[in-house]
Amino acid sequence: MASDDFDAIVAARAVHPVFQPVVSLNDGRPVGFEALARGPDGSRYHSPTALFAEAARRGMTADLDWICGVAACAQALDLGLRHVPLFLNVNPSSLGTACPADLQPTYRRALRELDLVLEITERRGGDPASILHAVAAFRQQGRRIAIDDVGVDPFSLNMISILAPDVIKIDRSITQGIEPSWARTYVLNSVKVEAQATGAALLCEGIETPEHLDAARAMGATLGQGWLFGRPGQLPTTLALSPEPLPRVTPYPDYAATPFAAIRGRAQTLPMSQHMLVPLCALLEDMALHTDAVRILFAAVSKTTPFDDRAWKTYNHIAQRGVGVAVFGREPLAPLGADVHIVPLPDTDPLLDECALIAVGSHFAAAMLARHIEPGRTDGEAQLYDAVLTYDRRIVIEALHALMSRVTSLPPEAPQL
């Protein structure tokens, strides 16, 4: 194999992993390891920067993510690291892709035997709806999520509240920042608010000196990575792990059972008829149809107000623009061929007594939330709702997670990231 032949490198799976410890800042001992990739020694693709840049140019990022991740899993399995958290980097655009057939046996074994942490990198390209669904599926297996390099790209910072990661990794540029700046302060405030709300751990990257360590502790970080603790290398055959466990977040442990319950007295509602709700929904639908502000649009359909053909056409057009669209309601929900994700609900689900439309993007969040005032009535347009249109991101995200709790993921033929 020519060492500089990228296609040959991919075909031969000729990458190898190195590992860097993730340590507790209380005792400096490892709580896990991050897997990093290297190309063939002596190749111009030896560095991960060159390797992934070429993969992105060829549209092969997902292939490379799988090759690198499974190679790391294979080494961890060989060493029997059953209970040591292993952080696997994945590009957002790779989430939801199927594992290549030749790598499936190793990955299936890793899912059974290893403590995998899905580390979502800052690189752009992923659809937030697909990311949210993939993260929900990964969490249903009892696994953790980390967001990498927070502070470099707005994508990672703005996805924190949506994904509720177990570990928030603050970029080295923040850790090593010498002079105070508004951008640095904004990042720190954002991550600390999220960590306090969910119990996520803050991890500072790029800790290379005692001064960096002092800065990380001052920021409230409890975990760290960097040359001060160890450079990337081989996994150790013997480990002295920290007794402090890697935290595990239950997103919104007391989250609302339904979207409307997310209000919890935090927003004033008004009595509205169905006719009054229509223009409120239209505001959010138009945002999704005509702008790039909305990347996720989830709707809950009341049992007394099913969608008509016009609504399905609108939602189909929105989905064709690349927005992740899901509709929750009583079966049958949609005409054949609707280009949206359908989530049927049982007749006993209290969500059927509500209407909800939730629109979320990196910088935009809004929700129309409504609940029947008299759930027993079925006289259509005479039905009254308590309703609110809110732009409070915390309420919107909690309402979104109330819907996501109804999405179940069946094990696919080929395991997915």
Side-chain angles (χ1 to χ4, degrees), residues 245-273:
L246 191 68
R248 188 184 301 277
V249 166
T250 300
Y252 303 99
D254 58 345
Y255 69 74
T258 67
F260 188 84
I263 296 171
R264 293 178 179 168
R266 294 182 290 179
Q268 182 178 2
T269 62
L270 296 172
M272 297 187 189
S273 67

mmCIF file of all heavy atoms in Angstrom, residues 245-273:
data_model
loop_
_atom_site.group_PDB
_atom_site.id
_atom_site.type_symbol
_atom_site.label_atom_id
_atom_site.label_comp_id
_atom_site.label_asym_id
_atom_site.label_seq_id
_atom_site.Cartn_x
_atom_site.Cartn_y
_atom_site.Cartn_z
ATOM 1 N N PRO A 245 -16.260 8.714 40.150
ATOM 2 C CA PRO A 245 -16.854 8.221 38.904
ATOM 3 C C PRO A 245 -17.105 9.355 37.919
ATOM 4 O O PRO A 245 -17.309 10.508 38.310
ATOM 5 C CB PRO A 245 -18.171 7.599 39.368
ATOM 6 C CG PRO A 245 -18.526 8.371 40.605
ATOM 7 C CD PRO A 245 -17.215 8.702 41.267
ATOM 8 N N LEU A 246 -17.062 9.012 36.650
ATOM 9 C CA LEU A 246 -17.458 9.961 35.622
ATOM 10 C C LEU A 246 -18.950 10.221 35.774
ATOM 11 O O LEU A 246 -19.736 9.277 35.874
ATOM 12 C CB LEU A 246 -17.161 9.386 34.237
ATOM 13 C CG LEU A 246 -17.265 10.348 33.049
ATOM 14 C CD1 LEU A 246 -16.159 11.387 33.107
ATOM 15 C CD2 LEU A 246 -17.178 9.564 31.739
ATOM 16 N N PRO A 247 -19.375 11.483 35.830
ATOM 17 C CA PRO A 247 -20.800 11.754 36.074
ATOM 18 C C PRO A 247 -21.683 11.279 34.926
ATOM 19 O O PRO A 247 -21.240 11.154 33.786
ATOM 20 C CB PRO A 247 -20.850 13.273 36.224
ATOM 21 C CG PRO A 247 -19.647 13.769 35.511
ATOM 22 C CD PRO A 247 -18.595 12.720 35.682
ATOM 23 N N ARG A 248 -22.921 11.021 35.271
ATOM 24 C CA ARG A 248 -23.915 10.622 34.287
ATOM 25 C C ARG A 248 -25.132 11.530 34.459
ATOM 26 O O ARG A 248 -25.726 11.587 35.535
ATOM 27 C CB ARG A 248 -24.309 9.164 34.470
ATOM 28 C CG ARG A 248 -25.212 8.613 33.368
ATOM 29 C CD ARG A 248 -25.634 7.192 33.687
ATOM 30 N NE ARG A 248 -24.509 6.288 33.826
ATOM 31 C CZ ARG A 248 -23.891 5.700 32.790
ATOM 32 N NH1 ARG A 248 -24.307 5.940 31.559
ATOM 33 N NH2 ARG A 248 -22.883 4.883 33.000
ATOM 34 N N VAL A 249 -25.499 12.236 33.394
ATOM 35 C CA VAL A 249 -26.606 13.174 33.432
ATOM 36 C C VAL A 249 -27.876 12.486 32.948
ATOM 37 O O VAL A 249 -27.865 11.794 31.931
ATOM 38 C CB VAL A 249 -26.312 14.410 32.553
ATOM 39 C CG1 VAL A 249 -27.578 15.221 32.298
ATOM 40 C CG2 VAL A 249 -25.247 15.276 33.206
ATOM 41 N N THR A 250 -28.944 12.656 33.697
ATOM 42 C CA THR A 250 -30.269 12.329 33.172
ATOM 43 C C THR A 250 -30.865 13.643 32.691
ATOM 44 O O THR A 250 -31.157 14.512 33.517
ATOM 45 C CB THR A 250 -31.175 11.712 34.255
ATOM 46 O OG1 THR A 250 -30.567 10.527 34.730
ATOM 47 C CG2 THR A 250 -32.542 11.390 33.674
ATOM 48 N N PRO A 251 -30.995 13.836 31.359
ATOM 49 C CA PRO A 251 -31.456 15.140 30.873
ATOM 50 C C PRO A 251 -32.774 15.535 31.524
ATOM 51 O O PRO A 251 -33.750 14.793 31.460
ATOM 52 C CB PRO A 251 -31.623 14.914 29.373
ATOM 53 C CG PRO A 251 -30.725 13.773 29.056
ATOM 54 C CD PRO A 251 -30.778 12.894 30.273
ATOM 55 N N TYR A 252 -32.758 16.681 32.196
ATOM 56 C CA TYR A 252 -33.933 17.182 32.872
ATOM 57 C C TYR A 252 -34.572 16.082 33.715
ATOM 58 O O TYR A 252 -35.623 15.543 33.367
ATOM 59 C CB TYR A 252 -34.934 17.768 31.865
ATOM 60 C CG TYR A 252 -34.301 18.849 31.042
ATOM 61 C CD1 TYR A 252 -33.837 18.596 29.771
ATOM 62 C CD2 TYR A 252 -34.113 20.117 31.575
ATOM 63 C CE1 TYR A 252 -33.212 19.581 29.031
ATOM 64 C CE2 TYR A 252 -33.495 21.106 30.844
ATOM 65 C CZ TYR A 252 -33.045 20.831 29.569
ATOM 66 O OH TYR A 252 -32.426 21.810 28.844
ATOM 67 N N PRO A 253 -33.895 15.688 34.811
ATOM 68 C CA PRO A 253 -34.376 14.553 35.596
ATOM 69 C C PRO A 253 -35.815 14.727 36.057
ATOM 70 O O PRO A 253 -36.509 13.748 36.280
ATOM 71 C CB PRO A 253 -33.399 14.508 36.786
ATOM 72 C CG PRO A 253 -32.749 15.852 36.818
ATOM 73 C CD PRO A 253 -32.717 16.338 35.399
ATOM 74 N N ASP A 254 -36.252 15.965 36.205
ATOM 75 C CA ASP A 254 -37.647 16.213 36.567
ATOM 76 C C ASP A 254 -38.390 16.865 35.411
ATOM 77 O O ASP A 254 -39.273 17.683 35.604
ATOM 78 C CB ASP A 254 -37.723 17.107 37.807
ATOM 79 C CG ASP A 254 -37.020 18.451 37.604
ATOM 80 O OD1 ASP A 254 -36.251 18.568 36.625
ATOM 81 O OD2 ASP A 254 -37.234 19.365 38.412
ATOM 82 N N TYR A 255 -37.988 16.489 34.173
ATOM 83 C CA TYR A 255 -38.588 17.143 33.022
ATOM 84 C C TYR A 255 -40.077 16.843 32.951
ATOM 85 O O TYR A 255 -40.586 15.864 33.495
ATOM 86 C CB TYR A 255 -37.888 16.763 31.715
ATOM 87 C CG TYR A 255 -38.071 15.343 31.243
ATOM 88 C CD1 TYR A 255 -39.262 14.915 30.699
ATOM 89 C CD2 TYR A 255 -37.009 14.443 31.301
ATOM 90 C CE1 TYR A 255 -39.419 13.617 30.249
ATOM 91 C CE2 TYR A 255 -37.153 13.137 30.859
ATOM 92 C CZ TYR A 255 -38.362 12.735 30.333
ATOM 93 O OH TYR A 255 -38.514 11.453 29.887
ATOM 94 N N ALA A 256 -40.777 17.715 32.255
ATOM 95 C CA ALA A 256 -42.224 17.633 32.171
ATOM 96 C C ALA A 256 -42.661 16.387 31.427
ATOM 97 O O ALA A 256 -41.994 15.912 30.511
ATOM 98 C CB ALA A 256 -42.759 18.873 31.456
ATOM 99 N N ALA A 257 -43.828 15.860 31.831
ATOM 100 C CA ALA A 257 -44.377 14.689 31.154
ATOM 101 C C ALA A 257 -44.921 15.047 29.784
ATOM 102 O O ALA A 257 -44.963 14.211 28.881
ATOM 103 C CB ALA A 257 -45.475 14.067 32.008
ATOM 104 N N THR A 258 -45.341 16.296 29.619
ATOM 105 C CA THR A 258 -45.835 16.782 28.327
ATOM 106 C C THR A 258 -45.262 18.168 28.076
ATOM 107 O O THR A 258 -44.823 18.846 29.016
ATOM 108 C CB THR A 258 -47.373 16.861 28.302
ATOM 109 O OG1 THR A 258 -47.799 17.880 29.225
ATOM 110 C CG2 THR A 258 -48.013 15.527 28.662
ATOM 111 N N PRO A 259 -45.276 18.644 26.837
ATOM 112 C CA PRO A 259 -44.734 19.978 26.572
ATOM 113 C C PRO A 259 -45.410 21.088 27.370
ATOM 114 O O PRO A 259 -44.738 21.986 27.892
ATOM 115 C CB PRO A 259 -44.975 20.150 25.065
ATOM 116 C CG PRO A 259 -44.937 18.760 24.527
ATOM 117 C CD PRO A 259 -45.591 17.922 25.585
ATOM 118 N N PHE A 260 -46.733 21.044 27.480
ATOM 119 C CA PHE A 260 -47.419 22.118 28.201
ATOM 120 C C PHE A 260 -47.009 22.148 29.669
ATOM 121 O O PHE A 260 -46.909 23.222 30.280
ATOM 122 C CB PHE A 260 -48.943 21.950 28.088
ATOM 123 C CG PHE A 260 -49.723 23.119 28.634
ATOM 124 C CD1 PHE A 260 -49.950 24.237 27.850
ATOM 125 C CD2 PHE A 260 -50.209 23.100 29.931
ATOM 126 C CE1 PHE A 260 -50.658 25.323 28.350
ATOM 127 C CE2 PHE A 260 -50.913 24.182 30.449
ATOM 128 C CZ PHE A 260 -51.140 25.292 29.650
ATOM 129 N N ALA A 261 -46.744 20.978 30.238
ATOM 130 C CA ALA A 261 -46.338 20.925 31.643
ATOM 131 C C ALA A 261 -44.993 21.603 31.870
ATOM 132 O O ALA A 261 -44.652 21.929 33.010
ATOM 133 C CB ALA A 261 -46.287 19.474 32.118
ATOM 134 N N ALA A 262 -44.221 21.824 30.795
ATOM 135 C CA ALA A 262 -42.931 22.500 30.936
ATOM 136 C C ALA A 262 -43.088 23.947 31.384
ATOM 137 O O ALA A 262 -42.144 24.555 31.887
ATOM 138 C CB ALA A 262 -42.162 22.449 29.612
ATOM 139 N N ILE A 263 -44.278 24.491 31.200
ATOM 140 C CA ILE A 263 -44.499 25.890 31.607
ATOM 141 C C ILE A 263 -44.429 26.002 33.123
ATOM 142 O O ILE A 263 -43.807 26.918 33.664
ATOM 143 C CB ILE A 263 -45.856 26.388 31.080
ATOM 144 C CG1 ILE A 263 -45.865 26.393 29.562
ATOM 145 C CG2 ILE A 263 -46.166 27.780 31.613
ATOM 146 C CD1 ILE A 263 -47.219 26.664 28.960
ATOM 147 N N ARG A 264 -45.082 25.106 33.827
ATOM 148 C CA ARG A 264 -45.007 25.021 35.289
ATOM 149 C C ARG A 264 -45.108 26.377 35.979
ATOM 150 O O ARG A 264 -44.319 26.709 36.864
ATOM 151 C CB ARG A 264 -43.707 24.342 35.702
ATOM 152 C CG ARG A 264 -43.612 22.888 35.330
ATOM 153 C CD ARG A 264 -42.274 22.339 35.749
ATOM 154 N NE ARG A 264 -42.148 20.938 35.418
ATOM 155 C CZ ARG A 264 -41.006 20.268 35.457
ATOM 156 N NH1 ARG A 264 -39.907 20.893 35.803
ATOM 157 N NH2 ARG A 264 -40.959 18.999 35.144
ATOM 158 N N GLY A 265 -46.011 27.185 35.557
ATOM 159 C CA GLY A 265 -46.181 28.482 36.171
ATOM 160 C C GLY A 265 -45.133 29.500 35.789
ATOM 161 O O GLY A 265 -45.101 30.605 36.345
ATOM 162 N N ARG A 266 -44.269 29.167 34.834
ATOM 163 C CA ARG A 266 -43.186 30.079 34.447
ATOM 164 C C ARG A 266 -43.593 31.014 33.325
ATOM 165 O O ARG A 266 -42.833 31.901 32.952
ATOM 166 C CB ARG A 266 -41.958 29.268 34.025
ATOM 167 C CG ARG A 266 -41.344 28.484 35.169
ATOM 168 C CD ARG A 266 -40.101 27.736 34.725
ATOM 169 N NE ARG A 266 -40.408 26.637 33.831
ATOM 170 C CZ ARG A 266 -39.502 25.837 33.295
ATOM 171 N NH1 ARG A 266 -38.220 26.040 33.540
ATOM 172 N NH2 ARG A 266 -39.856 24.851 32.508
ATOM 173 N N ALA A 267 -44.771 30.802 32.749
ATOM 174 C CA ALA A 267 -45.237 31.679 31.674
ATOM 175 C C ALA A 267 -46.750 31.828 31.797
ATOM 176 O O ALA A 267 -47.451 30.892 32.184
ATOM 177 C CB ALA A 267 -44.874 31.109 30.308
ATOM 178 N N GLN A 268 -47.232 33.026 31.484
ATOM 179 C CA GLN A 268 -48.667 33.287 31.589
ATOM 180 C C GLN A 268 -49.388 32.732 30.368
ATOM 181 O O GLN A 268 -48.990 32.966 29.234
ATOM 182 C CB GLN A 268 -48.928 34.784 31.692
ATOM 183 C CG GLN A 268 -50.403 35.138 31.861
ATOM 184 C CD GLN A 268 -50.625 36.625 32.006
ATOM 185 O OE1 GLN A 268 -49.667 37.405 31.945
ATOM 186 N NE2 GLN A 268 -51.869 37.025 32.195
ATOM 187 N N THR A 269 -50.448 31.988 30.600
ATOM 188 C CA THR A 269 -51.243 31.450 29.502
ATOM 189 C C THR A 269 -52.529 32.248 29.343
ATOM 190 O O THR A 269 -52.976 32.931 30.276
ATOM 191 C CB THR A 269 -51.592 29.971 29.748
ATOM 192 O OG1 THR A 269 -52.390 29.876 30.933
ATOM 193 C CG2 THR A 269 -50.335 29.144 29.904
ATOM 194 N N LEU A 270 -53.103 32.127 28.168
ATOM 195 C CA LEU A 270 -54.370 32.803 27.860
ATOM 196 C C LEU A 270 -55.334 31.802 27.252
ATOM 197 O O LEU A 270 -54.910 30.897 26.523
ATOM 198 C CB LEU A 270 -54.133 33.949 26.880
ATOM 199 C CG LEU A 270 -53.267 35.116 27.362
ATOM 200 C CD1 LEU A 270 -52.981 36.068 26.215
ATOM 201 C CD2 LEU A 270 -53.945 35.844 28.514
ATOM 202 N N PRO A 271 -56.645 31.954 27.511
ATOM 203 C CA PRO A 271 -57.611 31.073 26.858
ATOM 204 C C PRO A 271 -57.713 31.430 25.375
ATOM 205 O O PRO A 271 -57.829 32.608 25.012
ATOM 206 C CB PRO A 271 -58.919 31.355 27.598
ATOM 207 C CG PRO A 271 -58.737 32.717 28.185
ATOM 208 C CD PRO A 271 -57.275 32.870 28.466
ATOM 209 N N MET A 272 -57.623 30.421 24.521
ATOM 210 C CA MET A 272 -57.666 30.645 23.075
ATOM 211 C C MET A 272 -58.490 29.557 22.406
ATOM 212 O O MET A 272 -58.516 28.407 22.855
ATOM 213 C CB MET A 272 -56.255 30.628 22.480
ATOM 214 C CG MET A 272 -55.345 31.718 22.970
ATOM 215 S SD MET A 272 -53.773 31.726 22.043
ATOM 216 C CE MET A 272 -52.839 32.907 23.020
ATOM 217 N N SER A 273 -59.127 29.952 21.297
ATOM 218 C CA SER A 273 -59.817 28.985 20.459
ATOM 219 C C SER A 273 -58.834 28.417 19.441
ATOM 220 O O SER A 273 -57.708 28.913 19.289
ATOM 221 C CB SER A 273 -60.974 29.651 19.728
ATOM 222 O OG SER A 273 -60.467 30.597 18.784
#
